Amino acid sequence: MTIYLDNMAATPVDPRVAERHRAAMIDNPANANSSEHSLGVDAQQAIDQASDSLLRALGSDAGHVTFTPGASSALWLAVEDAIARAVDRPARIAATQVEHPALLAALRRAEGEGRVVLTMIGVDEDAAPRLDAIEEALSQGADLLCTMAANNEVGTITDIRAVSRLVERYGVRHLVDASQAAGRIEMSSFVDADLIVVSGAKTYGPRRAGALLGKLSGHASRLADDVFGSPDAPAAVALAYAMSLRAAERDADERRLAVMRDALQSHLLNAVPGLRVNGFQALRLAGSLHVSTPHLPGEAVVGRLWGQVALSTGAACQSGVPGPSHVLSAMAIPEWAKEGAVRIGIGRFNTENEMAQAGELIAGALNAGAPARRYA
């Protein structure tokens, strides 16, 4: 049986969430926009209650929740909101080089259409945004700053408090992509951002469910209705419930994940000569372990583990794209480390026994029988 260690790409659905989702689909058969009868009103009330529950779980007083068909849709909507707010000119948007590919794609499309003036912000060798680069970008004038709360490849947690101080100084709206962070870390440092994106796929919740927290322009709200269609009440209920479970169980779960990750890291470092650990080890997601082997490409490691351990070389949305990911390309690390990178994501359903088995298998895969290449 394959050991699943790709929890940064998607978490397994918690059976309790699946059951709540199933019940909500049965209890809410109507379209939430069907206000002409009581069942339609009931469906809308379920969405309203899910909004309140989600905000409580996140500790947010944003007051506005837009449920979306996933985090990528929420990121796109945030870009359209910024464009709508810039009257009679392109929106000035600054984003770090390591943002999610869905956000970067939306920004580059809009830039190509002349609707956005885009400024890219560099990161350090741990994939953390450089504060000096952020300040320089904001000092040149910006309408929206886009940052991740935690990187989706190497797990580095952004110093959002420091970023927020710059945002306040320059009076810029702030979008925080909390897809990886929500449900995994304490959110007080960024819960007051203008716009926050969360994802069910990273919180043991429904795959195709996300939310954008924060007040949208009238145009963006109408666009959400036009593009996404009628809101999905059962998905909203399930997402809110998943986040409520994370709020209640996060601390205990993440402590356990950190212990398992550190044990796995120690084992791999001892077993694989020259292994490099990527990301900021002092401040990263508990279940995140990103390593580079000097012995062979990361794709070869993943292939060696096929059917035994499920892990990846980078973000799922870039699966199959040749070469290092845009995150690794932006980081100041050696070329061999970019080529030999492997992403391991540990989740709450993994066990200590699984981790012991996986450690032996991964160590063997990271060690080529004879080195396939040398250091660059």
Short mmCIF file of all heavy atoms in Angstrom, two decimals, residues 230-278:
data_model
loop_
_atom_site.label_atom_id
_atom_site.label_comp_id
_atom_site.label_asym_id
_atom_site.label_seq_id
_atom_site.Cartn_x
_atom_site.Cartn_y
_atom_site.Cartn_z
N SER A 230 -24.25 29.70 -9.35
CA SER A 230 -24.92 29.58 -8.04
C SER A 230 -23.96 29.02 -7.01
O SER A 230 -23.22 28.07 -7.28
CB SER A 230 -26.13 28.65 -8.15
OG SER A 230 -27.07 29.17 -9.08
N PRO A 231 -23.94 29.58 -5.81
CA PRO A 231 -23.03 29.09 -4.77
C PRO A 231 -23.38 27.66 -4.36
O PRO A 231 -24.54 27.26 -4.37
CB PRO A 231 -23.23 30.08 -3.62
CG PRO A 231 -24.57 30.69 -3.87
CD PRO A 231 -24.76 30.72 -5.35
N ASP A 232 -22.37 26.90 -3.99
CA ASP A 232 -22.50 25.50 -3.60
C ASP A 232 -22.62 25.42 -2.09
O ASP A 232 -21.62 25.44 -1.37
CB ASP A 232 -21.28 24.73 -4.11
CG ASP A 232 -21.38 23.23 -3.88
OD1 ASP A 232 -22.18 22.80 -3.03
OD2 ASP A 232 -20.64 22.48 -4.55
N ALA A 233 -23.84 25.33 -1.60
CA ALA A 233 -24.07 25.32 -0.15
C ALA A 233 -23.40 24.14 0.54
O ALA A 233 -22.72 24.32 1.57
CB ALA A 233 -25.56 25.36 0.15
N PRO A 234 -23.53 22.91 0.03
CA PRO A 234 -22.87 21.79 0.72
C PRO A 234 -21.36 21.93 0.79
O PRO A 234 -20.75 21.62 1.81
CB PRO A 234 -23.27 20.57 -0.13
CG PRO A 234 -24.58 20.97 -0.76
CD PRO A 234 -24.43 22.44 -1.05
N ALA A 235 -20.73 22.43 -0.29
CA ALA A 235 -19.28 22.61 -0.27
C ALA A 235 -18.89 23.67 0.75
O ALA A 235 -17.88 23.53 1.46
CB ALA A 235 -18.78 23.00 -1.65
N ALA A 236 -19.67 24.73 0.85
CA ALA A 236 -19.39 25.78 1.83
C ALA A 236 -19.50 25.23 3.25
O ALA A 236 -18.65 25.51 4.11
CB ALA A 236 -20.35 26.95 1.64
N VAL A 237 -20.52 24.44 3.50
CA VAL A 237 -20.70 23.83 4.82
C VAL A 237 -19.52 22.93 5.16
O VAL A 237 -18.98 22.97 6.27
CB VAL A 237 -22.02 23.03 4.86
CG1 VAL A 237 -22.10 22.18 6.13
CG2 VAL A 237 -23.22 23.97 4.78
N ALA A 238 -19.10 22.12 4.18
CA ALA A 238 -17.99 21.19 4.42
C ALA A 238 -16.67 21.93 4.65
O ALA A 238 -15.88 21.54 5.52
CB ALA A 238 -17.87 20.22 3.25
N LEU A 239 -16.43 22.97 3.87
CA LEU A 239 -15.20 23.75 4.04
C LEU A 239 -15.15 24.39 5.43
O LEU A 239 -14.13 24.34 6.12
CB LEU A 239 -15.09 24.82 2.96
CG LEU A 239 -13.94 25.82 3.11
CD1 LEU A 239 -12.60 25.11 3.11
CD2 LEU A 239 -13.99 26.87 1.99
N ALA A 240 -16.25 24.99 5.83
CA ALA A 240 -16.29 25.64 7.15
C ALA A 240 -16.10 24.62 8.27
O ALA A 240 -15.40 24.89 9.26
CB ALA A 240 -17.62 26.38 7.32
N TYR A 241 -16.69 23.45 8.10
CA TYR A 241 -16.54 22.41 9.12
C TYR A 241 -15.10 21.91 9.19
O TYR A 241 -14.54 21.72 10.28
CB TYR A 241 -17.49 21.25 8.84
CG TYR A 241 -17.46 20.15 9.87
CD1 TYR A 241 -17.71 20.43 11.21
CD2 TYR A 241 -17.19 18.84 9.51
CE1 TYR A 241 -17.68 19.43 12.17
CE2 TYR A 241 -17.17 17.82 10.46
CZ TYR A 241 -17.41 18.13 11.79
OH TYR A 241 -17.38 17.14 12.73
N ALA A 242 -14.47 21.73 8.03
CA ALA A 242 -13.07 21.30 8.00
C ALA A 242 -12.19 22.31 8.72
O ALA A 242 -11.29 21.94 9.49
CB ALA A 242 -12.61 21.12 6.55
N MET A 243 -12.45 23.60 8.49
CA MET A 243 -11.63 24.63 9.14
C MET A 243 -11.91 24.68 10.64
O MET A 243 -11.00 24.96 11.43
CB MET A 243 -11.90 25.98 8.49
CG MET A 243 -10.74 26.94 8.57
SD MET A 243 -9.27 26.41 7.68
CE MET A 243 -9.75 26.72 5.98
N SER A 244 -13.13 24.40 11.03
CA SER A 244 -13.45 24.35 12.47
C SER A 244 -12.70 23.21 13.16
O SER A 244 -12.20 23.37 14.28
CB SER A 244 -14.96 24.19 12.67
OG SER A 244 -15.67 25.30 12.17
N LEU A 245 -12.63 22.06 12.49
CA LEU A 245 -11.87 20.95 13.04
C LEU A 245 -10.39 21.30 13.15
O LEU A 245 -9.73 20.96 14.13
CB LEU A 245 -12.04 19.71 12.15
CG LEU A 245 -13.41 19.04 12.16
CD1 LEU A 245 -13.45 17.90 11.15
CD2 LEU A 245 -13.75 18.52 13.56
N ARG A 246 -9.87 22.01 12.15
CA ARG A 246 -8.46 22.41 12.19
C ARG A 246 -8.21 23.37 13.36
O ARG A 246 -7.18 23.28 14.03
CB ARG A 246 -8.06 23.09 10.88
CG ARG A 246 -7.96 22.22 9.66
CD ARG A 246 -6.80 21.21 9.73
NE ARG A 246 -7.11 20.08 10.59
CZ ARG A 246 -6.32 19.62 11.55
NH1 ARG A 246 -5.17 20.20 11.80
NH2 ARG A 246 -6.67 18.59 12.27
N ALA A 247 -9.14 24.28 13.59
CA ALA A 247 -8.98 25.22 14.70
C ALA A 247 -8.92 24.49 16.03
O ALA A 247 -8.15 24.85 16.93
CB ALA A 247 -10.12 26.23 14.69
N ALA A 248 -9.71 23.43 16.16
CA ALA A 248 -9.77 22.69 17.42
C ALA A 248 -8.60 21.72 17.60
O ALA A 248 -8.15 21.49 18.73
CB ALA A 248 -11.09 21.92 17.51
N GLU A 249 -8.11 21.17 16.51
CA GLU A 249 -7.14 20.07 16.59
C GLU A 249 -5.76 20.44 16.06
O GLU A 249 -4.82 19.64 16.15
CB GLU A 249 -7.69 18.86 15.81
CG GLU A 249 -9.02 18.38 16.36
CD GLU A 249 -9.69 17.33 15.46
OE1 GLU A 249 -9.10 17.01 14.39
OE2 GLU A 249 -10.76 16.83 15.83
N ARG A 250 -5.62 21.64 15.51
CA ARG A 250 -4.38 22.03 14.84
C ARG A 250 -3.15 21.91 15.73
O ARG A 250 -2.14 21.31 15.33
CB ARG A 250 -4.51 23.47 14.35
CG ARG A 250 -3.27 24.02 13.64
CD ARG A 250 -3.33 25.52 13.52
NE ARG A 250 -3.21 26.15 14.84
CZ ARG A 250 -3.80 27.28 15.17
NH1 ARG A 250 -4.56 27.93 14.30
NH2 ARG A 250 -3.64 27.80 16.38
N ASP A 251 -3.19 22.49 16.90
CA ASP A 251 -2.00 22.56 17.74
C ASP A 251 -1.44 21.17 18.04
O ASP A 251 -0.23 20.92 17.89
CB ASP A 251 -2.29 23.30 19.03
CG ASP A 251 -2.54 24.79 18.81
OD1 ASP A 251 -2.23 25.28 17.70
OD2 ASP A 251 -3.04 25.45 19.74
N ALA A 252 -2.31 20.25 18.45
CA ALA A 252 -1.85 18.90 18.78
C ALA A 252 -1.35 18.18 17.53
O ALA A 252 -0.31 17.51 17.56
CB ALA A 252 -2.98 18.11 19.43
N ASP A 253 -2.07 18.32 16.44
CA ASP A 253 -1.67 17.66 15.20
C ASP A 253 -0.32 18.17 14.70
O ASP A 253 0.56 17.39 14.33
CB ASP A 253 -2.72 17.88 14.11
CG ASP A 253 -3.95 17.00 14.29
OD1 ASP A 253 -3.86 16.01 15.03
OD2 ASP A 253 -4.99 17.31 13.68
N GLU A 254 -0.16 19.49 14.68
CA GLU A 254 1.07 20.06 14.12
C GLU A 254 2.28 19.74 15.00
O GLU A 254 3.40 19.56 14.47
CB GLU A 254 0.91 21.56 13.93
CG GLU A 254 -0.20 21.94 12.94
CD GLU A 254 0.00 21.33 11.58
OE1 GLU A 254 1.01 21.64 10.92
OE2 GLU A 254 -0.86 20.53 11.15
N ARG A 255 2.11 19.65 16.30
CA ARG A 255 3.22 19.24 17.17
C ARG A 255 3.67 17.82 16.81
O ARG A 255 4.87 17.54 16.75
CB ARG A 255 2.82 19.32 18.64
CG ARG A 255 2.82 20.72 19.22
CD ARG A 255 2.77 20.68 20.74
NE ARG A 255 1.54 20.08 21.22
CZ ARG A 255 0.43 20.75 21.50
NH1 ARG A 255 0.38 22.07 21.31
NH2 ARG A 255 -0.64 20.14 21.95
N ARG A 256 2.70 16.94 16.60
CA ARG A 256 3.04 15.56 16.26
C ARG A 256 3.71 15.49 14.89
O ARG A 256 4.68 14.75 14.69
CB ARG A 256 1.77 14.70 16.27
CG ARG A 256 2.02 13.21 16.08
CD ARG A 256 0.75 12.42 16.21
NE ARG A 256 -0.15 12.65 15.09
CZ ARG A 256 -0.12 11.94 13.95
NH1 ARG A 256 0.76 10.96 13.80
NH2 ARG A 256 -0.98 12.19 13.00
N LEU A 257 3.21 16.27 13.93
CA LEU A 257 3.81 16.27 12.60
C LEU A 257 5.24 16.77 12.64
O LEU A 257 6.11 16.25 11.94
CB LEU A 257 2.98 17.15 11.64
CG LEU A 257 1.55 16.74 11.36
CD1 LEU A 257 0.97 17.56 10.22
CD2 LEU A 257 1.45 15.26 11.04
N ALA A 258 5.49 17.80 13.43
CA ALA A 258 6.85 18.34 13.53
C ALA A 258 7.82 17.30 14.09
O ALA A 258 8.96 17.19 13.63
CB ALA A 258 6.86 19.59 14.40
N VAL A 259 7.36 16.52 15.07
CA VAL A 259 8.21 15.46 15.63
C VAL A 259 8.53 14.42 14.57
O VAL A 259 9.68 13.98 14.41
CB VAL A 259 7.52 14.81 16.85
CG1 VAL A 259 8.28 13.56 17.29
CG2 VAL A 259 7.44 15.81 18.00
N MET A 260 7.52 13.99 13.81
CA MET A 260 7.75 13.00 12.77
C MET A 260 8.64 13.56 11.66
O MET A 260 9.52 12.86 11.14
CB MET A 260 6.41 12.52 12.19
CG MET A 260 5.58 11.70 13.15
SD MET A 260 4.22 10.79 12.37
CE MET A 260 3.17 12.14 11.80
N ARG A 261 8.42 14.81 11.29
CA ARG A 261 9.25 15.42 10.25
C ARG A 261 10.69 15.50 10.68
O ARG A 261 11.61 15.17 9.91
CB ARG A 261 8.74 16.82 9.94
CG ARG A 261 9.58 17.53 8.86
CD ARG A 261 9.50 19.03 8.97
NE ARG A 261 9.94 19.51 10.27
CZ ARG A 261 9.54 20.66 10.81
NH1 ARG A 261 8.70 21.44 10.16
NH2 ARG A 261 9.99 21.04 11.99
N ASP A 262 10.94 15.95 11.92
CA ASP A 262 12.31 16.09 12.39
C ASP A 262 13.01 14.73 12.47
O ASP A 262 14.22 14.63 12.18
CB ASP A 262 12.33 16.77 13.75
CG ASP A 262 11.92 18.24 13.67
OD1 ASP A 262 11.88 18.78 12.55
OD2 ASP A 262 11.62 18.83 14.72
N ALA A 263 12.27 13.70 12.86
CA ALA A 263 12.86 12.36 12.90
C ALA A 263 13.21 11.89 11.49
O ALA A 263 14.28 11.30 11.27
CB ALA A 263 11.89 11.38 13.57
N LEU A 264 12.32 12.12 10.54
CA LEU A 264 12.59 11.75 9.16
C LEU A 264 13.77 12.52 8.61
O LEU A 264 14.65 11.97 7.93
CB LEU A 264 11.34 11.99 8.30
CG LEU A 264 11.49 11.71 6.80
CD1 LEU A 264 11.88 10.25 6.55
CD2 LEU A 264 10.21 12.06 6.06
N GLN A 265 13.81 13.82 8.90
CA GLN A 265 14.92 14.64 8.43
C GLN A 265 16.26 14.13 8.96
O GLN A 265 17.24 14.01 8.21
CB GLN A 265 14.71 16.10 8.84
CG GLN A 265 15.85 17.02 8.46
CD GLN A 265 15.54 18.47 8.79
OE1 GLN A 265 14.49 18.98 8.42
NE2 GLN A 265 16.46 19.16 9.46
N SER A 266 16.30 13.83 10.25
CA SER A 266 17.54 13.33 10.85
C SER A 266 17.96 12.02 10.20
O SER A 266 19.16 11.80 9.91
CB SER A 266 17.36 13.14 12.36
OG SER A 266 17.14 14.37 13.01
N HIS A 267 17.00 11.15 9.97
CA HIS A 267 17.32 9.86 9.34
C HIS A 267 17.88 10.05 7.94
O HIS A 267 18.90 9.43 7.59
CB HIS A 267 16.06 9.00 9.28
CG HIS A 267 16.26 7.71 8.54
ND1 HIS A 267 16.98 6.65 9.07
CD2 HIS A 267 15.86 7.30 7.30
CE1 HIS A 267 17.01 5.66 8.20
NE2 HIS A 267 16.33 6.03 7.11
N LEU A 268 17.27 10.92 7.16
CA LEU A 268 17.72 11.13 5.79
C LEU A 268 19.09 11.79 5.75
O LEU A 268 19.94 11.44 4.92
CB LEU A 268 16.70 11.97 5.02
CG LEU A 268 15.32 11.33 4.81
CD1 LEU A 268 14.41 12.27 4.03
CD2 LEU A 268 15.44 9.99 4.10
N LEU A 269 19.33 12.75 6.64
CA LEU A 269 20.63 13.42 6.67
C LEU A 269 21.74 12.43 7.03
O LEU A 269 22.86 12.52 6.51
CB LEU A 269 20.61 14.58 7.67
CG LEU A 269 19.85 15.83 7.23
CD1 LEU A 269 19.74 16.82 8.39
CD2 LEU A 269 20.52 16.50 6.04
N ASN A 270 21.44 11.49 7.91
CA ASN A 270 22.43 10.49 8.29
C ASN A 270 22.64 9.44 7.19
O ASN A 270 23.75 8.89 7.05
CB ASN A 270 22.01 9.78 9.58
CG ASN A 270 22.13 10.69 10.79
OD1 ASN A 270 22.98 11.57 10.84
ND2 ASN A 270 21.26 10.48 11.78
N ALA A 271 21.59 9.18 6.43
CA ALA A 271 21.64 8.08 5.45
C ALA A 271 22.06 8.51 4.06
O ALA A 271 22.48 7.67 3.26
CB ALA A 271 20.26 7.41 5.38
N VAL A 272 21.96 9.80 3.76
CA VAL A 272 22.23 10.27 2.39
C VAL A 272 23.37 11.30 2.43
O VAL A 272 23.16 12.45 2.83
CB VAL A 272 20.97 10.90 1.76
CG1 VAL A 272 21.26 11.30 0.30
CG2 VAL A 272 19.80 9.94 1.83
N PRO A 273 24.54 10.93 2.01
CA PRO A 273 25.67 11.88 2.02
C PRO A 273 25.37 13.09 1.14
O PRO A 273 24.88 12.97 0.02
CB PRO A 273 26.82 11.06 1.43
CG PRO A 273 26.45 9.63 1.67
CD PRO A 273 24.95 9.59 1.56
N GLY A 274 25.67 14.27 1.67
CA GLY A 274 25.51 15.49 0.90
C GLY A 274 24.10 16.00 0.78
O GLY A 274 23.85 16.98 0.07
N LEU A 275 23.13 15.38 1.47
CA LEU A 275 21.75 15.83 1.37
C LEU A 275 21.60 17.26 1.89
O LEU A 275 22.20 17.63 2.90
CB LEU A 275 20.83 14.90 2.16
CG LEU A 275 19.32 15.10 1.95
CD1 LEU A 275 18.90 14.58 0.58
CD2 LEU A 275 18.52 14.39 3.05
N ARG A 276 20.79 18.05 1.20
CA ARG A 276 20.54 19.44 1.59
C ARG A 276 19.06 19.58 1.97
O ARG A 276 18.18 19.08 1.26
CB ARG A 276 20.87 20.38 0.43
CG ARG A 276 20.50 21.84 0.67
CD ARG A 276 20.62 22.65 -0.61
NE ARG A 276 20.08 24.00 -0.43
CZ ARG A 276 20.81 25.08 -0.17
NH1 ARG A 276 22.14 24.97 -0.11
NH2 ARG A 276 20.25 26.26 -0.01
N VAL A 277 18.79 20.29 3.07
CA VAL A 277 17.42 20.61 3.46
C VAL A 277 17.15 22.05 3.03
O VAL A 277 17.91 22.97 3.36
CB VAL A 277 17.21 20.47 4.98
CG1 VAL A 277 15.78 20.86 5.36
CG2 VAL A 277 17.52 19.04 5.43
N ASN A 278 16.07 22.24 2.29
CA ASN A 278 15.73 23.56 1.75
C ASN A 278 14.62 24.21 2.56
O ASN A 278 13.82 23.54 3.20
CB ASN A 278 15.27 23.43 0.30
CG ASN A 278 16.34 22.80 -0.58
OD1 ASN A 278 17.49 23.21 -0.57
ND2 ASN A 278 15.95 21.78 -1.34
#
